[in-house]
Amino acid sequence: MDERAGTPAWRAANWLASAGLRPTRQRLVLAELLIGDGNDRHVTAESLYEAACGTGTNVSLATVYNTLRSFTVAGLLTEITVDGTRSYFDTDVSDHAHFYWEDDGRLTDAPLGAVQFERLPDPPEGAEIAKVDVVIRLRRS
Amino acid sequence: MDERAGTPAWRAANWLASAGLRPTRQRLVLAELLIGDGNDRHVTAESLYEAACGTGTNVSLATVYNTLRSFTVAGLLTEITVDGTRSYFDTDVSDHAHFYWEDDGRLTDAPLGAVQFERLPDPPEGAEIAKVDVVIRLRRS
DNA sequence: CTCAATGCAAAGTATTTGCAACCGA
DNA sequence: TCGGTTGCAAATACTTTGCATTGAG
């Protein structure tokens, strides 16, 4: 076991390795920003890009987009569409509902198991349910 | 009662009137395409624009966009975001879940009452639930 | 007549792509 | 070395906006 086990950098490297993705400099930076501290995170390409710029490493916005897509295809992230104007990416790949704060465009996880379906429709003939997206839109009260 | 009561044109005019929107030529055309036959419909700006062109009336794509937005603000339509790349508008304003056919990008209504929640999370402090969006993604099986 | 609605083109915003330079295995 | 990655700029897709013209009340 590496002496750096458990460090953000180590987590990031392992995360990439688990998906068979090459650990390039920019991927490691982005991965560390995403899961370095072990917490789940919701980002947009833009927000992650800004965070990456803050680290001093040179990363282009296009690469952030491409990387987020690669991570998603590899199963490391889920893409969430709530707003139409931008895509959110979630480091929590498990099936769960989201809170969308309409006032500031923030996306957070709904408490685990908070949403339970009593009934779901049967899929129409010739189709199967791939996924059920639940977005709970919140407004300041 | 107008002798034309029940005709598509009459429905369209009434629909606009109920929202206090001026019955201009293009709004009437679009309204008739949307609810003229009394059925619910799911459209994108592009699909509605094409349909409108087929009627021979001169309508610009920008006007379709602006009109769909006006109708939505007026409460005649709901905007649905499933895909990120385009907005769908639904003539059924009631709260209901949708089927999204991933293969051809089509959007349809889930059977009424097909989705029942056993449990919904309490809204976080200082917020209230504005709306719960449920999109059931279907894949050909 | 007056002000809202429209058409068109130009501007925006979010995202993807083409291609040469680069770098990790 | 070799093929996957990156950066940049240009391209794309969708939607909104500015402004002069039109039309409904």
Side-chain angles (χ1 to χ4, degrees):
Chain A
M1 173 92 93
D2 192 311
E3 60 175 36
R4 312 202 314 149
T7 64
W10 177 86
R11 282 172 173 285
N14 262 51
W15 197 48
L16 295 182
S18 73
L21 291 173
R22 271 202 204 175
T24 66
R25 177 157 42 265
Q26 21 280 43
R27 281 181 180 173
L28 284 167
V29 169
L30 298 180
E32 193 169 329
L33 286 170
L34 287 168
I35 53 120
D37 64 1
N39 292 324
D40 287 321
R41 199 145 291 162
H42 300 83
V43 303
T44 61
E46 197 68 39
S47 76
L48 184 57
Y49 174 65
E50 277 164 22
C53 287
T55 69
T57 315
N58 187 310
V59 188
S60 81
L61 180 56
T63 294
V64 173
Y65 273 105
N66 292 332
T67 302
L68 285 173
R69 187 132 319 283
S70 303
F71 286 7
T72 302
V73 170
L76 295 178
L77 299 176
T78 337
E79 186 171 3
I80 303 159
T81 303
V82 276
D83 178 273
T85 68
R86 57 189 145 198
S87 283
Y88 289 82
F89 294 86
D90 186 352
T91 56
D92 181 352
V93 189
S94 71
D95 199 6
H96 62 291
H98 289 99
F99 283 137
Y100 178 63
W101 303 73
E102 294 188 335
D103 301 301
D104 52 9
R106 205 156 36 92
L107 193 71
T108 59
D109 287 325
L112 189 66
V115 175
Q116 295 281 332
F117 290 107
E118 179 183 319
R119 191 162 75 214
L120 269 180
D122 293 322
E125 205 61 53
E128 61 180 357
I129 295 180
K131 193 157 172 281
V132 179
D133 288 342
V134 178
V135 175
I136 301 168
R137 291 169 185 274
L138 300 176
R139 201 166 16 209
R140 238 193 316 266
S141 60
Chain B
M1 173 92 93
D2 191 311
E3 60 176 36
R4 311 202 315 149
T7 64
W10 178 87
R11 283 171 170 282
N14 262 50
W15 197 49
L16 294 181
S18 72
L21 291 172
R22 272 199 204 175
T24 65
R25 177 159 40 265
Q26 21 279 60
R27 282 181 180 174
L28 284 167
V29 169
L30 298 179
E32 192 169 328
L33 287 169
L34 287 168
I35 53 123
D37 64 1
N39 292 324
D40 287 319
R41 198 144 294 164
H42 300 82
V43 303
T44 60
E46 198 69 39
S47 77
L48 184 57
Y49 173 66
E50 277 164 23
C53 287
T55 69
T57 314
N58 188 310
V59 188
S60 80
L61 180 56
T63 294
V64 174
Y65 273 105
N66 292 333
T67 302
L68 285 173
R69 188 134 317 284
S70 303
F71 286 7
T72 302
V73 170
L76 295 178
L77 299 175
T78 337
E79 187 171 1
I80 303 158
T81 303
V82 276
D83 178 272
T85 68
R86 56 188 143 199
S87 284
Y88 289 81
F89 295 87
D90 186 353
T91 56
D92 181 353
V93 190
S94 71
D95 199 6
H96 62 292
H98 289 98
F99 284 137
Y100 177 63
W101 303 72
E102 294 189 333
D103 301 302
D104 53 8
R106 205 156 36 90
L107 193 70
T108 59
D109 286 326
L112 188 65
V115 175
Q116 295 281 330
F117 290 107
E118 178 185 320
R119 191 161 76 213
L120 268 181
D122 293 322
E125 205 62 52
E128 60 181 357
I129 295 179
K131 192 157 173 284
V132 179
D133 288 342
V134 179
V135 176
I136 301 168
R137 290 169 186 275
L138 300 176
R139 199 163 22 207
R140 239 192 313 268
S141 60

